[in-house]
Amino acid sequence: MKTDMQQKQNAGADHDEAFGHSPAVEIGRKIEAALQLYTRLESQYIQVSMRDGTVTLRGEVDSSAEKAAAFDAAWSSPGVQTVIDELLVR
């Protein structure tokens, strides 16, 4: 039996898909938001793409610590099964 919260979440997901907001796009947005919110990365230099549960990170960062933070932010997002890290340290 579904709780009211689960029913609302499912209804929201159906609404998003009906209006062209795919789960992959939403996950990509969440990853980008996590990069901006939880790290001090210059996220405009990181491109995030998502397909079939696989996230690919591309771009340049200033340190290996920033690279690791981006990788961790991608992994922490719901629905992510694999992260391909193509980030380069400047």
Side-chain angles (χ1 to χ4, degrees):
M1 195 161 196
K2 292 185 180 180
T3 65
D4 288 340
M5 180 60 92
Q6 289 171 323
Q7 289 173 345
K8 288 178 184 177
Q9 289 172 338
N10 290 342
D14 293 342
H15 172 77
D16 286 346
E17 287 185 26
F19 289 95
H21 301 290
S22 73
V25 170
E26 185 60 27
I27 290 170
R29 286 182 187 147
K30 287 180 181 180
I31 293 168
E32 289 170 345
L35 287 172
Q36 293 171 357
L37 183 61
Y38 295 112
T39 67
R40 299 191 188 272
L41 296 174
E42 297 180 40
S43 61
Q44 67 266 21
Y45 297 111
I46 298 175
Q47 294 80 48
V48 179
S49 60
M50 171 79 174
R51 182 179 176 144
D52 298 327
T54 298
V55 173
T56 303
L57 303 172
R58 292 185 180 95
E60 294 184 354
V61 293
D62 289 328
S63 68
S64 53
E66 288 183 353
K67 182 176 179 171
F71 185 83
D72 292 345
W75 263 118
S76 69
S77 299
V80 174
Q81 298 169 354
T82 305
V83 177
I84 299 172
D85 181 356
E86 296 181 356
L87 294 172
L88 301 173
V89 178
R90 293 183 209 141

